[in-house]
Amino acid sequence: MTSTAAVAPAKMPRRPRRVGPALRYLAALVIVAVTVVPLLFVILGGFRTTAQINQSPAALPEPWVLSNYATILTSADFWRFLTNSVIIAVVATVVAVAFGSMAGFALSHYRFAGREALYTLFTVGLLFPLGVATLPLYLLLRQIGLLENLMGVAIPQAAFSLPVTIVILRPFMTAIPGELADAAAIDGAGRLTYFWRILLPLSRPALVTVSVLAFVTSWNSYLLPLLVFNDQSHFTLPLGVATFQSQYSQDTARILAFTALSMVPALAFFSFAERRIVGGLTGSVKG
Amino acid sequence: MAEPVTADPDTGGVTAEPTPPPGRPSVRPGRRRPPVRRALELSLLLAPALLLFAVFVLLPIALAVYYSLYRWNGFGPLSDFVGVENYRRALADPVFDRAIWHNVLIAVLSLLIQLPLSIGLALLLNGRIRGRAALRLIVFTPYVLSEAVTAVVWLSILQPNGVFDQFLTAVGLRGSIHEWLADGDIVLYTLFGVITWKYIGFGIILMLAGLQGIPSELREAAALDASSWQSTRYVTLPLLGPTIRIWIFLSIIGALQLFDLIWIMTLGGPAGASTTMATYLIDHGFRRYQFGYGSAVAVLLFTVCFLFALAYQRFALRRDTAGAVDRAMR
């Protein structure tokens, strides 16, 4: 490739397009196929019977069977898992963002001894994986009676989302010009009024990003619900999917339908908040 | 990470204090207010986050260190103090050594395979291409799915004589069919493949974001008197450096903490062939009620991650992190 470039006549338009659109489209096609085909297999598999799948795993539904999806959508389990996931994710997000933005405000708009140390402490928290803390966390939750309780997952989840929330919010809040606070003070607004009426609305983009991050983290988490819940009625969607898989391991079609349905909320949320998720993840990780 | 703090009037910076013009009251909030009220505000704002963080993050980690010094099944009093015996036992256990090795292997494979793949695909997708927005959306989709869902999806696909095996047969690779998850020599590579499927989109999006940060003038100027390979190698890649270093960091930390996917797909088996530090920890701590021993493993896992992060921060990331978060939010 290098040599063809070197001998290219000087008059040729020098745009670096030698890779060629063909190769580019081929690569794109391969990526799309590798990404989409497994998902399609799951979704379409849900429209077949297990017998059909066993006979010929790769075929299209013939005829289309709706009963798998219908059974799951009319069963209480799926909806209960979904509701539990929603409750936990919402509580975890609200708590993390509320507490995180208050702390972010204090860490950005007040000066006090130990401020940087405190900020560093939260930053180091980014490195604590939930996995490391699970055994003692489990014992702690048992002691305070939060096992088999949705809050037993939501609250620790919020705590583990605090570091990233604060690490994103504080610089954002620091960047908001101090003149605004001055102006608010002239108008007689207290510090907390300023926080509530001016700073928070101005921080909206960052608040959306941290909310999305906290929500997705909680939504996808598996380990903590696995330890805290024994009773199926408390299961979240990830836990439910994994359990369903092992319970009905003979009934492939039902597993596929269940899995497909459990992808729907995440995919819907993603297409709705795509820019925020991508921006948040690629942005936040640079901390 | 620590940003430079501008002149700090409240902490005794007497000289830094600009005298306000006479007659104009200082309205900078944070001053002139009763210190009691200020302290009250501060504690009101900080207490919830601090309490939450201390109770559910710091305390459990401190407790893990404490429990790790005992032999304990999680019930009854902590009485059987064994000192560092749990640590010695873990480090001497060949299964744990293998677990560490598996984590390292996944990390190395990621660097060797996922990194070039992410960069290459990002470079390709960064060019002019129809439907680029849709393409990005699709590429990123697996990353949004939970590891649990991903695991179940691939469990179905990789079933013996399942759709993947049929596909191989159809393209004439019947001979390469294995028991993807039951063969101890293969299972880790299978899992790595699934991990790559799930996380490659994140790498590509990250690299694309990094490429977007490179001024197009630079790339165009380079394109004027260099081949596309040269301009990529000597202009684009070095400028992509910070992004690549962040990716490496995240990838290695992720590889060290791998759990959900493996637990659901293989439980660390067969016969420990896909155990990681985290699955070993949960296996011993929860399934065998060895809370003291499990805690010791947790502390080891944390120490490994922490030392790696510290070293990486010091040697590779230092020049990138200053102000990185602010930049990212713009």
Side-chain angles (χ1 to χ4, degrees):
Chain A
M1 213 174 280
T2 319
S3 60
T4 51
V7 297
K11 284 288 175 209
M12 253 185 70
R14 296 300 211 99
R15 310 225 79 216
R17 293 285 176 257
R18 283 172 212 95
V19 176
L23 181 59
R24 195 175 306 145
Y25 280 99
L26 185 70
L29 199 69
V30 171
I31 300 174
V32 171
V34 171
T35 308
V36 171
V37 167
L39 300 178
L40 272 184
F41 165 73
V42 172
I43 295 165
L44 292 176
F47 286 109
R48 309 174 70 200
T49 63
T50 300
Q52 283 177 18
I53 296 172
N54 285 342
Q55 200 178 25
S56 139
L60 287 174
E62 180 66 50
W64 291 66
V65 178
L66 298 179
S67 61
N68 298 313
Y69 285 108
T71 316
I72 290 161
L73 285 174
T74 51
S75 80
D77 278 354
F78 177 76
W79 296 107
R80 203 180 297 125
F81 298 161
L82 184 69
T83 316
N84 291 339
S85 274
V86 170
I87 293 173
I88 290 174
V90 167
V91 171
T93 307
V94 169
V95 171
V97 173
F99 291 7
S101 57
M102 284 157 68
F105 175 53
L107 290 169
S108 64
H109 281 64
Y110 288 76
R111 299 180 190 286
F112 52 92
R115 184 176 74 164
E116 293 313 307
L118 200 57
Y119 181 59
T120 309
L121 184 70
F122 281 117
T123 323
V124 173
L126 282 177
L127 282 177
F128 295 155
L130 223 154
V132 171
T134 40
L135 294 178
L137 194 57
Y138 170 82
L139 297 172
L140 187 73
L141 292 170
R142 191 175 72 188
Q143 199 135 44
I144 55 184
L146 281 180
L147 290 186
E148 300 298 340
N149 185 325
L150 297 186
M151 294 308 119
V153 172
I155 303 296
Q157 206 74 252
F160 276 86
S161 282
L162 268 181
V164 75
T165 306
I166 291 174
V167 164
I168 290 180
L169 280 181
R170 179 185 133 143
F172 194 92
M173 289 179 166
T174 309
I176 289 173
E179 284 80 13
L180 282 173
D182 297 356
I186 291 176
D187 288 341
R191 254 349 208 6
L192 300 184
T193 317
Y194 165 73
F195 170 61
W196 183 248
R197 304 287 291 272
I198 298 175
L199 191 70
L200 279 187
L202 283 176
S203 307
R204 225 184 77 111
L207 288 175
V208 174
T209 301
V210 293
S211 306
V212 167
L213 283 177
F215 193 90
V216 172
T217 309
S218 164
W219 187 265
N220 284 344
S221 89
Y222 171 74
L223 178 55
L224 195 58
L226 174 72
L227 302 184
V228 174
F229 303 139
N230 241 324
D231 179 349
Q232 277 221 20
S233 66
H234 298 128
F235 278 14
T236 58
L237 220 37
L239 197 53
V241 171
T243 312
F244 198 88
Q245 192 277 329
S246 52
Q247 263 172 7
Y248 296 91
S249 55
Q250 299 310 313
D251 197 348
T252 314
R254 254 176 92 182
I255 295 172
L256 293 180
F258 196 94
T259 312
L261 283 174
S262 68
M263 294 192 293
V264 171
L267 294 181
F269 184 70
F270 173 52
S271 54
F272 157 76
E274 183 242 343
R275 272 194 48 217
R276 281 291 150 198
I277 296 179
V278 174
L281 291 173
T282 51
S284 70
V285 297
K286 296 189 181 166
Chain B
M1 216 155 269
E3 307 153 75
V5 178
T6 43
D8 195 343
D10 271 9
T11 49
V14 190
T15 47
E17 182 78 58
T19 35
R24 181 178 171 270
S26 165
V27 291
R28 277 297 293 278
R31 275 175 258 164
R32 285 293 165 92
R33 285 175 308 125
V36 178
R37 190 193 150 86
R38 192 173 164 280
L40 210 71
E41 282 174 13
L42 253 182
S43 43
L44 183 74
L45 289 167
L46 281 172
L50 260 180
L51 197 71
L52 192 66
F53 190 66
V55 172
F56 290 103
V57 180
L58 298 181
L59 177 67
I61 288 170
L63 285 175
V65 176
Y66 177 59
Y67 295 154
S68 74
L69 302 174
Y70 291 84
R71 179 171 312 146
W72 190 42
N73 62 5
F75 296 91
L78 276 164
S79 53
D80 195 356
F81 181 85
V82 292
V84 295
E85 178 53 34
N86 284 328
Y87 292 92
R88 200 175 298 145
R89 195 181 127 203
L91 292 172
D93 181 357
V95 180
F96 186 63
D97 289 346
R98 268 174 91 197
I100 297 180
W101 163 242
H102 292 154
N103 284 107
V104 172
L105 189 69
I106 296 276
V108 171
L109 283 175
S110 305
L111 290 184
L112 291 181
I113 294 173
Q114 289 177 6
L115 181 61
L117 210 57
S118 307
I119 298 175
L121 292 174
L123 283 170
L124 275 175
L125 296 184
N126 198 40
R128 211 170 291 159
I129 193 163
R130 246 176 240 250
R132 200 165 72 168
L135 199 59
R136 285 180 190 204
L137 205 68
I138 290 172
V139 162
F140 203 61
T141 304
Y143 182 75
V144 188
L145 302 176
S146 62
E147 285 200 12
V149 166
T150 311
V152 175
V153 167
W154 283 93
L155 269 178
S156 318
I157 292 175
L158 292 170
Q159 271 178 8
N161 210 12
V163 69
F164 187 67
D165 289 353
Q166 295 252 322
F167 167 75
L168 288 180
T169 311
V171 296
L173 289 172
R174 189 177 194 108
S176 63
I177 291 176
H178 286 87
E179 294 195 296
W180 302 110
L181 294 168
D183 182 337
D185 295 330
I186 302 280
V187 61
L188 207 62
Y189 299 96
T190 309
L191 291 169
F192 175 74
V194 177
I195 292 165
T196 305
W197 181 82
K198 172 154 167 56
Y199 288 102
I200 196 78
F202 177 70
I204 294 175
I205 297 287
L206 198 66
M207 297 301 164
L208 275 172
L211 284 174
Q212 235 110 79
I214 299 174
S216 55
E217 295 83 15
L218 272 177
R219 280 159 64 80
E220 279 162 21
L224 282 182
D225 29 39
S227 71
S228 90
W229 160 247
Q230 282 172 325
S231 70
T232 301
R233 169 67 187 81
Y234 294 105
V235 178
T236 310
L237 280 189
L239 286 169
L240 208 52
T243 313
I244 294 176
R245 285 192 283 275
I246 289 287
W247 183 90
I248 293 177
F249 178 76
L250 292 170
S251 169
I252 293 182
I253 287 285
L256 291 176
Q257 298 174 1
L258 212 53
F259 175 80
D260 296 4
L261 194 109
I262 293 184
W263 191 254
I264 298 171
M265 290 188 79
T266 67
L267 282 173
S274 61
T275 319
T276 62
M277 288 189 275
T279 66
Y280 183 88
L281 151 64
I282 297 300
D283 188 23
H284 282 265
F286 274 90
R287 298 184 86 205
R288 305 182 195 185
Y289 290 103
Q290 303 170 341
F291 274 75
Y293 184 60
S295 296
V297 174
V299 173
L300 286 175
L301 169 59
F302 174 66
T303 310
V304 170
C305 292
F306 191 71
L307 288 181
F308 164 73
L310 220 60
Y312 198 77
Q313 177 80 23
R314 179 146 175 72
F315 295 113
L317 281 182
R318 197 157 46 158
R319 47 197 159 147
D320 299 333
T321 42
V325 179
D326 316 77
R327 273 203 310 279
M329 290 309 301
R330 298 284 138 77

